């Protein structure tokens, strides 16, 4: 699909958001990703941050100055078009996760993207007693995109900034919160479900921790007590 850009917002010199028109025939499930690109670039996997009932499609992106896609995508203007695949997919969906109990969304960087989509879907709130979001970034300005949104959702939201001396809030890595028992305190899979999305090292480390504690990884064949997005790397 070739979709017109209707809105752009730049947050930092490394982060921005794009909204495009949404064809009426396009359907997706909260938490999925699509491939996007420009005419003369390779395509990359981008999680949708828009909800399944929104009238637009939204994407959250990093800027890499010499990146084959983002070096050009970051200069796109309203009215320009981007290529968006019409076959959304991904593992971070409710269908791949056992429902009930507490839901823990653990994200680093732009890995927050699929969780924004899930939180924009009312169905997500129907299936869990409490939703916890832990979002870790390097500097405080990286929180600009969705911090206010997350604070307004009626969830337990914890922002973590790891490399900013001006930040006075939490600064420990998510894995340290897990080890300290502050995330999934009793390690009981029947009571807690986990979604993981961030850089590859983070995904592997967290998935290994919970796998060793008896949590099972969900996929399209069978639901599990945790899921991770292997195709999306922040």
């Amino acid at each position: 699909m070739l979709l017109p850009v209707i809105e752009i917002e730049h947050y930092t010199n490394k982060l921005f958001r794009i909204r495009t028109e949404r064809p009426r025939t396009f359907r997706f499930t909260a938490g999925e990703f699509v491939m996007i690109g420009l005419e003369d670039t390779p395509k990359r996997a981008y999680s949708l941050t828009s909800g399944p009932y929104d009238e637009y499609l939204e994407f959250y992106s990093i800027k890499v100055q010499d990146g084959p896609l983002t070096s050009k995508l970051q200069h796109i203007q309203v009215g320009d078009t981007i290529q968006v695949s019409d076959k959304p997919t991904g593992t971070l969906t409710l269908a791949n996760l056992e429902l009930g109990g507490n839901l823990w969304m653990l994200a680093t960087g732009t890995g927050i993207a699929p969780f924004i989509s899930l939180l924009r879907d009312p169905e997500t709130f129907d299936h869990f007693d409490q939703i916890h979001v832990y979002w870790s970034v390097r500097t405080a300005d990286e929180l600009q995109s969705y911090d206010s949104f997350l604070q307004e959702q009626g969830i337990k939201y914890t922002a973590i900034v790891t490399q900013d001396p001006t930040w006075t809030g939490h600064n420990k890595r998510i894995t340290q919160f897990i080890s300290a028992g502050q995330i999934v305190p009793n390690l009981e899979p029947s009571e807690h479900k986990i979604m993981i999305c961030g850089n590859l090292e983070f995904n592997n480390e967290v998935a290994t921790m919970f796998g060793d504690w008896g949590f099972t990884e969900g996929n399209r064949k069978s639901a599990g007590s945790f899921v991770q997005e292997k195709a999306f790397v922040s």
Side-chain angles (χ1 to χ4, degrees), residues 1 3-4 6 19-29 50-58:
M1 303 183 295
L3 301 181
I6 59 174
R19 283 185 181 177
T20 72
E21 292 183 2
R22 176 179 179 173
R24 292 190 177 185
T25 57
F26 182 74
R27 298 288 182 269
F28 70 94
T29 299
S50 43
Y53 304 107
D54 290 332
E55 296 181 350
Y56 55 84
L57 301 182
E58 184 181 278

Short mmCIF file of all heavy atoms in Angstrom, two decimals, residues 1 3-4 6 19-29 50-58:
data_model
loop_
_atom_site.label_atom_id
_atom_site.label_comp_id
_atom_site.label_asym_id
_atom_site.label_seq_id
_atom_site.Cartn_x
_atom_site.Cartn_y
_atom_site.Cartn_z
N MET A 1 0.84 -1.19 0.00
CA MET A 1 0.00 0.00 0.00
C MET A 1 0.88 1.24 0.00
O MET A 1 1.89 1.29 0.70
CB MET A 1 -0.88 0.03 1.26
CG MET A 1 -1.77 -1.18 1.46
SD MET A 1 -2.83 -1.00 2.93
CE MET A 1 -1.59 -1.00 4.24
N LEU A 3 0.69 4.93 1.15
CA LEU A 3 -0.19 5.71 2.01
C LEU A 3 0.33 7.13 2.23
O LEU A 3 1.51 7.32 2.54
CB LEU A 3 -0.35 5.02 3.37
CG LEU A 3 -0.91 3.60 3.34
CD1 LEU A 3 -1.03 3.07 4.75
CD2 LEU A 3 -2.27 3.58 2.64
N PRO A 4 -0.52 8.13 2.11
CA PRO A 4 -0.12 9.52 2.35
C PRO A 4 0.14 9.79 3.83
O PRO A 4 -0.60 9.30 4.70
CB PRO A 4 -1.33 10.33 1.86
CG PRO A 4 -2.14 9.39 1.03
CD PRO A 4 -1.90 8.03 1.59
N ILE A 6 -0.06 12.06 7.01
CA ILE A 6 -0.96 13.13 7.43
C ILE A 6 -0.45 13.89 8.65
O ILE A 6 -0.94 14.97 8.96
CB ILE A 6 -2.37 12.58 7.73
CG1 ILE A 6 -2.32 11.50 8.82
CG2 ILE A 6 -3.01 12.03 6.46
CD1 ILE A 6 -3.70 11.01 9.27
N ARG A 19 2.16 9.56 11.18
CA ARG A 19 0.81 9.05 10.98
C ARG A 19 0.49 9.09 9.49
O ARG A 19 0.84 10.05 8.80
CB ARG A 19 -0.23 9.87 11.74
CG ARG A 19 -0.27 9.58 13.23
CD ARG A 19 -1.41 10.33 13.91
NE ARG A 19 -1.41 10.04 15.35
CZ ARG A 19 -2.26 10.59 16.21
NH1 ARG A 19 -3.19 11.44 15.77
NH2 ARG A 19 -2.20 10.29 17.50
N THR A 20 -0.19 8.04 9.03
CA THR A 20 -0.63 7.99 7.63
C THR A 20 -2.15 7.78 7.59
O THR A 20 -2.77 7.44 8.60
CB THR A 20 0.03 6.83 6.86
OG1 THR A 20 -0.53 5.59 7.31
CG2 THR A 20 1.54 6.83 7.06
N GLU A 21 -2.70 7.98 6.41
CA GLU A 21 -4.09 7.60 6.21
C GLU A 21 -4.22 6.09 6.40
O GLU A 21 -3.26 5.35 6.23
CB GLU A 21 -4.55 7.99 4.81
CG GLU A 21 -4.65 9.49 4.59
CD GLU A 21 -5.17 9.84 3.21
OE1 GLU A 21 -5.50 8.90 2.44
OE2 GLU A 21 -5.26 11.03 2.90
N ARG A 22 -5.42 5.66 6.76
CA ARG A 22 -5.69 4.23 6.92
C ARG A 22 -6.78 3.80 5.95
O ARG A 22 -7.91 4.30 6.02
CB ARG A 22 -6.13 3.91 8.35
CG ARG A 22 -6.51 2.45 8.54
CD ARG A 22 -6.92 2.15 9.96
NE ARG A 22 -7.30 0.75 10.10
CZ ARG A 22 -7.58 0.16 11.27
NH1 ARG A 22 -7.52 0.87 12.39
NH2 ARG A 22 -7.91 -1.11 11.32
N PRO A 23 -6.46 2.89 5.04
CA PRO A 23 -7.50 2.39 4.14
C PRO A 23 -8.60 1.70 4.94
O PRO A 23 -8.34 1.02 5.93
CB PRO A 23 -6.75 1.38 3.26
CG PRO A 23 -5.31 1.76 3.37
CD PRO A 23 -5.14 2.30 4.75
N ARG A 24 -9.83 1.86 4.52
CA ARG A 24 -10.96 1.28 5.25
C ARG A 24 -10.89 -0.25 5.28
O ARG A 24 -11.44 -0.88 6.17
CB ARG A 24 -12.27 1.73 4.62
CG ARG A 24 -12.54 3.22 4.80
CD ARG A 24 -13.94 3.59 4.39
NE ARG A 24 -14.21 5.00 4.63
CZ ARG A 24 -15.40 5.56 4.45
NH1 ARG A 24 -16.42 4.82 4.01
NH2 ARG A 24 -15.57 6.84 4.69
N THR A 25 -10.23 -0.83 4.30
CA THR A 25 -10.16 -2.29 4.23
C THR A 25 -9.02 -2.88 5.05
O THR A 25 -8.91 -4.10 5.17
CB THR A 25 -9.97 -2.72 2.76
OG1 THR A 25 -8.80 -2.09 2.23
CG2 THR A 25 -11.17 -2.32 1.92
N PHE A 26 -8.15 -2.02 5.61
CA PHE A 26 -6.97 -2.53 6.33
C PHE A 26 -7.33 -2.90 7.75
O PHE A 26 -7.82 -2.08 8.53
CB PHE A 26 -5.86 -1.48 6.32
CG PHE A 26 -4.60 -1.94 6.99
CD1 PHE A 26 -3.76 -2.86 6.38
CD2 PHE A 26 -4.24 -1.48 8.25
CE1 PHE A 26 -2.59 -3.29 6.99
CE2 PHE A 26 -3.08 -1.91 8.88
CZ PHE A 26 -2.26 -2.82 8.25
N ARG A 27 -7.05 -4.14 8.12
CA ARG A 27 -7.33 -4.63 9.47
C ARG A 27 -6.05 -5.14 10.11
O ARG A 27 -5.22 -5.75 9.44
CB ARG A 27 -8.36 -5.77 9.41
CG ARG A 27 -9.71 -5.36 8.85
CD ARG A 27 -10.48 -4.48 9.82
NE ARG A 27 -11.79 -4.13 9.31
CZ ARG A 27 -12.05 -3.05 8.58
NH1 ARG A 27 -11.06 -2.22 8.28
NH2 ARG A 27 -13.28 -2.78 8.17
N PHE A 28 -5.92 -4.95 11.40
CA PHE A 28 -4.77 -5.50 12.13
C PHE A 28 -5.16 -5.72 13.58
O PHE A 28 -6.18 -5.21 14.06
CB PHE A 28 -3.55 -4.57 12.03
CG PHE A 28 -3.69 -3.27 12.79
CD1 PHE A 28 -3.21 -3.14 14.08
CD2 PHE A 28 -4.28 -2.16 12.19
CE1 PHE A 28 -3.34 -1.95 14.78
CE2 PHE A 28 -4.41 -0.96 12.87
CZ PHE A 28 -3.94 -0.85 14.17
N THR A 29 -4.36 -6.50 14.26
CA THR A 29 -4.55 -6.79 15.67
C THR A 29 -3.56 -5.97 16.49
O THR A 29 -2.39 -5.85 16.10
CB THR A 29 -4.34 -8.29 15.94
OG1 THR A 29 -5.29 -9.04 15.17
CG2 THR A 29 -4.51 -8.62 17.41
N SER A 50 -0.77 2.80 16.57
CA SER A 50 -2.20 3.11 16.53
C SER A 50 -3.00 1.91 17.02
O SER A 50 -2.55 0.76 16.93
CB SER A 50 -2.63 3.49 15.11
OG SER A 50 -2.05 2.62 14.16
N GLY A 51 -4.19 2.18 17.54
CA GLY A 51 -5.06 1.11 17.96
C GLY A 51 -5.85 0.56 16.79
O GLY A 51 -5.99 1.21 15.75
N PRO A 52 -6.41 -0.64 16.92
CA PRO A 52 -7.13 -1.27 15.81
C PRO A 52 -8.39 -0.54 15.39
O PRO A 52 -8.93 -0.80 14.32
CB PRO A 52 -7.45 -2.67 16.33
CG PRO A 52 -7.28 -2.61 17.80
CD PRO A 52 -6.31 -1.54 18.09
N TYR A 53 -8.86 0.41 16.22
CA TYR A 53 -10.07 1.15 15.87
C TYR A 53 -9.77 2.60 15.47
O TYR A 53 -10.69 3.37 15.18
CB TYR A 53 -11.07 1.12 17.03
CG TYR A 53 -11.41 -0.29 17.45
CD1 TYR A 53 -10.92 -0.82 18.64
CD2 TYR A 53 -12.21 -1.10 16.64
CE1 TYR A 53 -11.22 -2.12 19.02
CE2 TYR A 53 -12.50 -2.41 17.01
CZ TYR A 53 -12.01 -2.90 18.20
OH TYR A 53 -12.29 -4.20 18.57
N ASP A 54 -8.50 2.99 15.48
CA ASP A 54 -8.14 4.35 15.07
C ASP A 54 -8.30 4.53 13.56
O ASP A 54 -8.18 3.55 12.80
CB ASP A 54 -6.69 4.66 15.46
CG ASP A 54 -6.52 4.79 16.97
OD1 ASP A 54 -7.49 5.17 17.64
OD2 ASP A 54 -5.40 4.53 17.47
N GLU A 55 -8.55 5.74 13.13
CA GLU A 55 -8.77 6.02 11.72
C GLU A 55 -7.47 6.28 10.97
O GLU A 55 -7.49 6.56 9.77
CB GLU A 55 -9.72 7.21 11.56
CG GLU A 55 -11.11 6.95 12.11
CD GLU A 55 -12.04 8.12 11.94
OE1 GLU A 55 -11.55 9.21 11.54
OE2 GLU A 55 -13.25 7.96 12.17
N TYR A 56 -6.35 6.21 11.65
CA TYR A 56 -5.03 6.44 11.06
C TYR A 56 -4.11 5.29 11.42
O TYR A 56 -4.42 4.48 12.31
CB TYR A 56 -4.44 7.76 11.58
CG TYR A 56 -4.40 7.82 13.10
CD1 TYR A 56 -3.33 7.25 13.82
CD2 TYR A 56 -5.43 8.41 13.82
CE1 TYR A 56 -3.30 7.27 15.20
CE2 TYR A 56 -5.40 8.44 15.21
CZ TYR A 56 -4.34 7.87 15.89
OH TYR A 56 -4.32 7.87 17.26
N LEU A 57 -2.97 5.20 10.74
CA LEU A 57 -1.90 4.29 11.13
C LEU A 57 -0.76 5.13 11.68
O LEU A 57 -0.43 6.18 11.13
CB LEU A 57 -1.43 3.46 9.93
CG LEU A 57 -2.48 2.60 9.24
CD1 LEU A 57 -1.85 1.82 8.10
CD2 LEU A 57 -3.16 1.66 10.23
N GLU A 58 -0.17 4.67 12.77
CA GLU A 58 0.90 5.44 13.41
C GLU A 58 2.12 4.56 13.65
O GLU A 58 1.98 3.39 14.01
CB GLU A 58 0.41 6.03 14.74
CG GLU A 58 1.44 6.93 15.42
CD GLU A 58 0.91 7.47 16.74
OE1 GLU A 58 0.16 8.47 16.70
OE2 GLU A 58 1.23 6.89 17.81
#
